[in-house]
Amino acid sequence: MKVKIQDVCERGASNLKQSDIDKNGEYPVYGAAGYIGKIDFYHQEKTYIAVVKDGAGIGRIALCPAKSSVIGTMQYLLPKDNVLPEYLFYVLKYAHLEKYYTGATIPHIYFKDYRNEEFNLVSLSEQAEIVDVLRKIEGIIESRKQELQKLDDLIKARFVEMFGDPVSNPMGWKQVLLCDVTSKIGSGATPRGGKESYQAEGITLIRSMNVHDGRFKHKDLVYITEAQAAQLDNVTVEENDVFINITGASVARSCIVPKEVLPARVNQHVAIIRCIYHQMHPVFINNMFLSDRFKERLFEIGKSGGATRQAITKQQLETLTVILPPITLQNQFADFVAQVDKSRFVEMFGDISTGEYKYVIKKLGDVAKVGSSHRVFTTDFGCSNRIYEKISKLKVIGERLNW
């Protein structure tokens, strides 16, 4: 049945300050980033949920153990007898409470703002079964993340083996300006009207939150109309374009555009790097941007303006000195990356040739019912049909898991 958050928990407040923490205490205290110390008493006798209500990390959810406390920037949510703490944790974690924040300088959220958020409440026994299944999913996802990180490390190691340090250039490769081996370097703009002008569908507008190191994340992807896109024709995205973030905290993150988001444009926080293909391979230049030493160099450029907000200008990109190994060697490296990417896909979704894993696990919780997701849950996770149906109806998140 549908219930509201206020139907299953009570709120509580903490007046603990950082100065109250005693490292020699007996009972743990938690903050926005996790465990921060101990005190010689505790606020909560039973397991509870903590919500970051002020400052950085606002809306973040934590499941905290019995006989513990939280610092004053967090709020207690104390489960009632009709809900398991772990079940409530999953519900709240994917309710995205941060959407309820107010305040610009110091953002904060209030219980009164999200207490009416609805979700599906089932019996306690069904809650326990659902929690067990979701824990198994989390375990699998964490294992996959570790395997994927190993594949990333393999690509980085291969890059250094083939090309050396792209900054000190110990292999003596020819060096050129980035503008000499690219046909386009440029960023776009936010359409007039800002986020209020975004559409449910249309031409993709790529923003800095979509560009991550070696990954394009579909979460928070937005769209614009044909008319809006026409005003950004100078930053029309093409297949194999490399993106690099040029402003803010995400400066220097880079990836290659995935085909499925085309047609697309970029906003002013993302620059397009379009290679002259017979000279520079996009996979090579993207992995140069991702290499540790070159990344440090990009960070230094971002700070060089002296402003409080990091930024890389178009001119700085154009005059960036890069190594230029023979294109045949770059192509060999790109082929290696393609093979690793195939392994990456299998790690994420299993052996697709058997049809066993044609499904998408949404981020640590909900499951998109694609292909044989029902078979995966009932067979791989030992989940009954009844519990599978309950999980599929859980109101959690709606985005795909982005690795």
mmCIF file of all heavy atoms in Angstrom, residues 5 24 27 29 41 55 72 82 84 101 116 134-135 190 221 257 260-261 276 295 302 311 318 321 373 377:
data_model
loop_
_atom_site.group_PDB
_atom_site.id
_atom_site.type_symbol
_atom_site.label_atom_id
_atom_site.label_comp_id
_atom_site.label_asym_id
_atom_site.label_seq_id
_atom_site.Cartn_x
_atom_site.Cartn_y
_atom_site.Cartn_z
ATOM 1 N N ILE A 5 6.251 9.148 4.070
ATOM 2 C CA ILE A 5 7.391 9.013 4.967
ATOM 3 C C ILE A 5 6.984 9.295 6.414
ATOM 4 O O ILE A 5 7.408 8.602 7.339
ATOM 5 C CB ILE A 5 8.539 9.941 4.524
ATOM 6 C CG1 ILE A 5 9.159 9.412 3.224
ATOM 7 C CG2 ILE A 5 9.613 10.055 5.604
ATOM 8 C CD1 ILE A 5 10.235 10.304 2.644
ATOM 9 N N ASN A 24 38.134 9.316 22.949
ATOM 10 C CA ASN A 24 38.262 8.241 23.931
ATOM 11 C C ASN A 24 36.914 7.743 24.452
ATOM 12 O O ASN A 24 36.854 6.958 25.384
ATOM 13 C CB ASN A 24 39.121 8.712 25.112
ATOM 14 C CG ASN A 24 40.532 9.069 24.690
ATOM 15 O OD1 ASN A 24 41.131 8.363 23.880
ATOM 16 N ND2 ASN A 24 41.065 10.164 25.213
ATOM 17 N N TYR A 27 30.854 5.443 22.511
ATOM 18 C CA TYR A 27 29.774 5.322 21.539
ATOM 19 C C TYR A 27 30.041 6.201 20.312
ATOM 20 O O TYR A 27 30.427 7.364 20.445
ATOM 21 C CB TYR A 27 28.451 5.711 22.190
ATOM 22 C CG TYR A 27 28.147 4.881 23.412
ATOM 23 C CD1 TYR A 27 28.314 5.408 24.700
ATOM 24 C CD2 TYR A 27 27.721 3.567 23.280
ATOM 25 C CE1 TYR A 27 28.046 4.640 25.828
ATOM 26 C CE2 TYR A 27 27.446 2.792 24.409
ATOM 27 C CZ TYR A 27 27.620 3.326 25.673
ATOM 28 O OH TYR A 27 27.365 2.560 26.781
ATOM 29 N N VAL A 29 29.861 8.537 16.878
ATOM 30 C CA VAL A 29 29.135 9.693 16.374
ATOM 31 C C VAL A 29 29.387 9.779 14.870
ATOM 32 O O VAL A 29 30.515 9.582 14.409
ATOM 33 C CB VAL A 29 29.590 11.005 17.050
ATOM 34 C CG1 VAL A 29 28.826 12.197 16.475
ATOM 35 C CG2 VAL A 29 29.399 10.924 18.556
ATOM 36 N N PHE A 41 28.297 8.918 25.712
ATOM 37 C CA PHE A 41 26.859 8.676 25.817
ATOM 38 C C PHE A 41 26.322 8.524 24.394
ATOM 39 O O PHE A 41 27.063 8.676 23.420
ATOM 40 C CB PHE A 41 26.155 9.842 26.530
ATOM 41 C CG PHE A 41 26.309 11.162 25.836
ATOM 42 C CD1 PHE A 41 25.367 11.593 24.904
ATOM 43 C CD2 PHE A 41 27.403 11.984 26.103
ATOM 44 C CE1 PHE A 41 25.511 12.801 24.246
ATOM 45 C CE2 PHE A 41 27.548 13.196 25.454
ATOM 46 C CZ PHE A 41 26.603 13.611 24.523
ATOM 47 N N GLY A 55 24.296 22.127 4.649
ATOM 48 C CA GLY A 55 25.624 22.194 4.065
ATOM 49 C C GLY A 55 25.909 21.155 3.000
ATOM 50 O O GLY A 55 25.003 20.624 2.349
ATOM 51 N N GLY A 72 25.110 17.801 14.751
ATOM 52 C CA GLY A 72 23.965 18.690 14.612
ATOM 53 C C GLY A 72 23.557 19.033 13.200
ATOM 54 O O GLY A 72 22.434 19.505 12.985
ATOM 55 N N ASN A 82 6.152 -0.285 12.042
ATOM 56 C CA ASN A 82 5.623 -0.835 10.794
ATOM 57 C C ASN A 82 6.652 -0.891 9.666
ATOM 58 O O ASN A 82 6.338 -1.285 8.546
ATOM 59 C CB ASN A 82 4.400 -0.048 10.329
ATOM 60 C CG ASN A 82 4.718 1.425 10.080
ATOM 61 O OD1 ASN A 82 5.772 1.917 10.483
ATOM 62 N ND2 ASN A 82 3.788 2.128 9.434
ATOM 63 N N LEU A 84 10.987 -1.723 8.685
ATOM 64 C CA LEU A 84 12.346 -2.094 9.058
ATOM 65 C C LEU A 84 13.282 -0.931 8.741
ATOM 66 O O LEU A 84 13.140 -0.293 7.681
ATOM 67 C CB LEU A 84 12.798 -3.331 8.285
ATOM 68 C CG LEU A 84 12.043 -4.632 8.551
ATOM 69 C CD1 LEU A 84 12.580 -5.736 7.644
ATOM 70 C CD2 LEU A 84 12.155 -5.030 10.012
ATOM 71 N N TYR A 101 15.762 20.860 -1.118
ATOM 72 C CA TYR A 101 16.584 21.840 -0.408
ATOM 73 C C TYR A 101 16.121 23.271 -0.683
ATOM 74 O O TYR A 101 15.551 23.584 -1.719
ATOM 75 C CB TYR A 101 18.059 21.684 -0.782
ATOM 76 C CG TYR A 101 18.491 22.455 -2.004
ATOM 77 C CD1 TYR A 101 19.029 23.738 -1.874
ATOM 78 C CD2 TYR A 101 18.374 21.918 -3.278
ATOM 79 C CE1 TYR A 101 19.422 24.455 -2.990
ATOM 80 C CE2 TYR A 101 18.770 22.626 -4.399
ATOM 81 C CZ TYR A 101 19.290 23.905 -4.246
ATOM 82 O OH TYR A 101 19.673 24.617 -5.350
ATOM 83 N N ASN A 116 5.810 14.107 3.055
ATOM 84 C CA ASN A 116 4.689 13.594 2.263
ATOM 85 C C ASN A 116 5.125 12.778 1.059
ATOM 86 O O ASN A 116 4.285 12.354 0.252
ATOM 87 C CB ASN A 116 3.794 14.745 1.811
ATOM 88 C CG ASN A 116 3.053 15.381 2.971
ATOM 89 O OD1 ASN A 116 2.594 14.688 3.872
ATOM 90 N ND2 ASN A 116 2.945 16.708 2.959
ATOM 91 N N LEU A 134 18.077 -6.715 -2.257
ATOM 92 C CA LEU A 134 18.782 -5.485 -2.602
ATOM 93 C C LEU A 134 20.211 -5.492 -2.085
ATOM 94 O O LEU A 134 21.117 -4.948 -2.715
ATOM 95 C CB LEU A 134 18.011 -4.275 -2.065
ATOM 96 C CG LEU A 134 16.625 -4.045 -2.678
ATOM 97 C CD1 LEU A 134 15.998 -2.780 -2.116
ATOM 98 C CD2 LEU A 134 16.701 -3.965 -4.192
ATOM 99 N N ARG A 135 20.430 -6.126 -0.938
ATOM 100 C CA ARG A 135 21.798 -6.263 -0.433
ATOM 101 C C ARG A 135 22.645 -7.103 -1.383
ATOM 102 O O ARG A 135 23.818 -6.807 -1.610
ATOM 103 C CB ARG A 135 21.782 -6.901 0.956
ATOM 104 C CG ARG A 135 21.467 -5.934 2.084
ATOM 105 C CD ARG A 135 21.388 -6.672 3.393
ATOM 106 N NE ARG A 135 21.220 -5.760 4.515
ATOM 107 C CZ ARG A 135 20.860 -6.137 5.732
ATOM 108 N NH1 ARG A 135 20.643 -7.427 5.980
ATOM 109 N NH2 ARG A 135 20.730 -5.252 6.702
ATOM 110 N N THR A 190 24.032 27.815 -22.445
ATOM 111 C CA THR A 190 22.748 27.359 -21.919
ATOM 112 C C THR A 190 21.640 28.098 -22.662
ATOM 113 O O THR A 190 21.698 29.326 -22.798
ATOM 114 C CB THR A 190 22.645 27.639 -20.412
ATOM 115 O OG1 THR A 190 23.648 26.881 -19.727
ATOM 116 C CG2 THR A 190 21.271 27.246 -19.885
ATOM 117 N N LEU A 221 20.507 13.899 -17.784
ATOM 118 C CA LEU A 221 20.577 14.315 -19.183
ATOM 119 C C LEU A 221 19.328 15.120 -19.517
ATOM 120 O O LEU A 221 18.214 14.734 -19.138
ATOM 121 C CB LEU A 221 20.668 13.085 -20.080
ATOM 122 C CG LEU A 221 21.246 13.252 -21.488
ATOM 123 C CD1 LEU A 221 22.668 13.786 -21.424
ATOM 124 C CD2 LEU A 221 21.225 11.919 -22.226
ATOM 125 N N VAL A 257 31.948 10.938 -26.700
ATOM 126 C CA VAL A 257 30.493 10.939 -26.807
ATOM 127 C C VAL A 257 29.987 9.548 -27.191
ATOM 128 O O VAL A 257 30.505 8.911 -28.109
ATOM 129 C CB VAL A 257 30.017 11.976 -27.847
ATOM 130 C CG1 VAL A 257 30.609 11.700 -29.226
ATOM 131 C CG2 VAL A 257 28.492 12.001 -27.915
ATOM 132 N N GLU A 260 24.503 6.926 -28.750
ATOM 133 C CA GLU A 260 23.069 6.945 -28.489
ATOM 134 C C GLU A 260 22.537 8.300 -28.057
ATOM 135 O O GLU A 260 21.321 8.502 -28.034
ATOM 136 C CB GLU A 260 22.696 5.894 -27.435
ATOM 137 C CG GLU A 260 23.240 6.140 -26.044
ATOM 138 C CD GLU A 260 24.585 5.484 -25.809
ATOM 139 O OE1 GLU A 260 25.238 5.099 -26.810
ATOM 140 O OE2 GLU A 260 24.986 5.364 -24.645
ATOM 141 N N VAL A 261 23.403 9.254 -27.696
ATOM 142 C CA VAL A 261 22.900 10.564 -27.264
ATOM 143 C C VAL A 261 22.805 11.547 -28.430
ATOM 144 O O VAL A 261 22.307 12.661 -28.262
ATOM 145 C CB VAL A 261 23.770 11.164 -26.142
ATOM 146 C CG1 VAL A 261 23.853 10.221 -24.967
ATOM 147 C CG2 VAL A 261 25.158 11.558 -26.629
ATOM 148 N N ILE A 276 41.498 15.561 -36.004
ATOM 149 C CA ILE A 276 41.780 15.285 -37.414
ATOM 150 C C ILE A 276 42.247 13.835 -37.458
ATOM 151 O O ILE A 276 43.348 13.511 -36.998
ATOM 152 C CB ILE A 276 42.862 16.233 -37.965
ATOM 153 C CG1 ILE A 276 42.380 17.689 -37.871
ATOM 154 C CG2 ILE A 276 43.219 15.863 -39.402
ATOM 155 C CD1 ILE A 276 43.435 18.710 -38.250
ATOM 156 N N LYS A 295 46.553 14.926 -16.358
ATOM 157 C CA LYS A 295 45.443 15.443 -15.567
ATOM 158 C C LYS A 295 45.945 16.522 -14.598
ATOM 159 O O LYS A 295 45.306 17.569 -14.422
ATOM 160 C CB LYS A 295 44.775 14.310 -14.801
ATOM 161 C CG LYS A 295 43.572 14.727 -13.980
ATOM 162 C CD LYS A 295 42.372 15.065 -14.841
ATOM 163 C CE LYS A 295 41.791 13.840 -15.480
ATOM 164 N NZ LYS A 295 40.588 14.154 -16.309
ATOM 165 N N GLY A 302 43.783 25.003 -15.031
ATOM 166 C CA GLY A 302 42.501 25.453 -14.519
ATOM 167 C C GLY A 302 42.629 26.443 -13.376
ATOM 168 O O GLY A 302 41.783 27.319 -13.196
ATOM 169 N N ALA A 311 38.885 27.156 -14.254
ATOM 170 C CA ALA A 311 38.409 27.251 -15.635
ATOM 171 C C ALA A 311 39.568 27.066 -16.600
ATOM 172 O O ALA A 311 40.707 27.448 -16.325
ATOM 173 C CB ALA A 311 37.736 28.600 -15.882
ATOM 174 N N GLU A 318 43.606 25.309 -27.115
ATOM 175 C CA GLU A 318 44.203 25.367 -28.449
ATOM 176 C C GLU A 318 45.726 25.352 -28.395
ATOM 177 O O GLU A 318 46.375 24.761 -29.262
ATOM 178 C CB GLU A 318 43.725 26.624 -29.166
ATOM 179 C CG GLU A 318 42.258 26.587 -29.569
ATOM 180 C CD GLU A 318 41.782 27.898 -30.163
ATOM 181 O OE1 GLU A 318 42.404 28.948 -29.885
ATOM 182 O OE2 GLU A 318 40.792 27.883 -30.918
ATOM 183 N N THR A 321 50.187 21.826 -25.481
ATOM 184 C CA THR A 321 51.183 20.983 -26.149
ATOM 185 C C THR A 321 50.892 19.516 -25.866
ATOM 186 O O THR A 321 50.745 19.106 -24.718
ATOM 187 C CB THR A 321 52.603 21.325 -25.669
ATOM 188 O OG1 THR A 321 52.885 22.696 -25.959
ATOM 189 C CG2 THR A 321 53.631 20.445 -26.370
ATOM 190 N N SER A 373 15.065 -9.930 -16.887
ATOM 191 C CA SER A 373 15.320 -9.492 -15.519
ATOM 192 C C SER A 373 14.570 -10.362 -14.518
ATOM 193 O O SER A 373 15.061 -10.647 -13.432
ATOM 194 C CB SER A 373 14.929 -8.029 -15.339
ATOM 195 O OG SER A 373 13.564 -7.837 -15.585
ATOM 196 N N PHE A 377 16.352 -12.404 -11.381
ATOM 197 C CA PHE A 377 16.002 -12.219 -9.970
ATOM 198 C C PHE A 377 15.533 -13.514 -9.331
ATOM 199 O O PHE A 377 15.905 -13.832 -8.202
ATOM 200 C CB PHE A 377 14.928 -11.132 -9.823
ATOM 201 C CG PHE A 377 15.514 -9.813 -9.493
ATOM 202 C CD1 PHE A 377 16.209 -9.104 -10.456
ATOM 203 C CD2 PHE A 377 15.425 -9.291 -8.221
ATOM 204 C CE1 PHE A 377 16.784 -7.899 -10.158
ATOM 205 C CE2 PHE A 377 15.998 -8.079 -7.913
ATOM 206 C CZ PHE A 377 16.680 -7.379 -8.876
#
